[in-house]
Amino acid sequence: MILTITANPSVDISYQLDDFVIDDVNRVDEVDKDAGGKGIHVGYVLEQLGHKVVNSGFIGGKLGEFIVKSLEAKGLESRFVEVDGQTRNCIAILHGGKQTEILEKGPVISKDKEKEFLDRLDEISQGCKVINISGSLPKGLDSSFYKEIIAYSKRHDKFISVDTSGKTLVDIINAEIKPDLIKPNETEIKEAVGKESNSLEDLKEILSRPPFSDIAYIIVSMGKNGALVKKGNKFYKASVPTIEAVNPVGSGDSSLAGALSAIERDKDLVDVIKTSMTCGLLNALNKEIAKIDMNLFEQYYDKIEVEEL
């Protein structure tokens, strides 16, 4: 099993409008509501790849109950910690080929609830040999929360991946105990080290030095140009075919799910990279977020090229 932690999950609400009128009434015929958040999206794709998935994080109120029920309906187990306050809504208004988002902050997590989560990690991660942390921190928590989970994972011989950004990413990569995998994009790498990288050679140089050199897997997303992947002290370039993207939102989470799937199944590195890239592509070909068409998997897997640099 794979545990995926979304510290600040949401109920994702999508409104489809022909036209969005400011300062007037907008009536909606098409509404979609689902459990969301980056770690939950990773779990959706892992389930489609045939894995048993456990979701955790913090939930509160009726919206938290909705998340649990939505996940259970998809066959995904929940081991959340319940908090005071209400789980957040994230609203996407789709109009005229554009997307306007309204994102709530979510509940404040108390120190007692943070301690409860960490004290229950044995229970929460039971049966899981891979742990993934995705997304930003809710109010009340700082990067030490993620650091504690990373340290726990290393003590208990569990593979641990982290997908976050900003100050939290900087703190994680500079910590004494590092995750086994991170999946930043080029911009996040530049922001983390305060240095521009204008070529693959620049990126390789940055990732070859501390604080990145001691992280086993680094997958740097490069959008339509594929990815640069570091494993140990070796580097690989993944090239992907050109596609007509339907909805690229969630492709990063899908790509991470592909990598974790292959790692959990002890596949070789080329398979890890190709599975990761394939899942990202398949997500972009689908209107729904974190949804892949497994009937197309082999077709696109065979088109991924991996070259050692």
Side-chain angles (χ1 to χ4, degrees), residues 30-45:
E30 217 177 302
V31 180
D32 292 318
K33 296 183 181 182
D34 206 353
K38 288 179 69 62
I40 287 175
H41 293 157
V42 171
Y44 286 159
V45 176

Side-chain angles (χ1 to χ4, degrees), residues 40-84:
I40 287 175
H41 293 157
V42 171
Y44 286 159
V45 176
L46 284 168
E47 190 275 335
Q48 293 166 72
L49 291 167
H51 294 269
K52 290 185 177 179
V53 178
V54 175
N55 281 274
S56 191
F58 299 95
I59 56 169
K62 293 296 182 182
L63 295 180
E65 293 176 11
F66 175 86
I67 284 177
V68 171
K69 290 178 181 177
S70 295
L71 293 172
E72 287 177 349
K74 292 180 171 68
L76 303 172
E77 186 177 348
S78 294
R79 299 177 188 171
F80 289 95
V81 168
E82 294 187 22
V83 300
D84 296 330

Side-chain angles (χ1 to χ4, degrees), residues 181-225:
L181 184 152
I182 60 173
K183 200 199 70 58
N185 58 37
E186 289 181 272
T187 300
E188 288 164 347
I189 291 285
K190 296 172 188 176
E191 291 175 349
V193 297
K195 181 179 179 180
E196 287 293 319
S197 57
N198 300 310
S199 67
L200 284 180
E201 288 304 316
D202 289 342
L203 271 177
K204 284 175 59 181
E205 182 188 357
I206 291 170
L207 299 180
S208 297
R209 301 193 313 265
F212 297 104
S213 53
D214 292 334
I215 300 174
Y217 289 86
I218 302 178
I219 302 173
V220 182
S221 172
M222 301 170 65
K224 65 181 181 180
N225 294 319

Side-chain angles (χ1 to χ4, degrees), residues 4 26-27 40 63 121 129 172 209 223 242 252 289:
T4 182
N26 292 270
R27 301 191 185 279
I40 287 175
L63 295 180
L121 269 173
K129 69 177 186 179
I172 293 303
R209 301 193 313 265
T242 301
I289 297 174

Side-chain angles (χ1 to χ4, degrees), residues 94-113:
L94 309 175
H95 54 100
K98 299 178 181 178
Q99 180 166 315
T100 300
E101 296 186 358
I102 302 171
L103 310 180
E104 298 177 3
K105 288 185 177 294
V108 177
I109 309 303
S110 69
K111 289 299 179 184
D112 286 344
K113 287 299 179 179

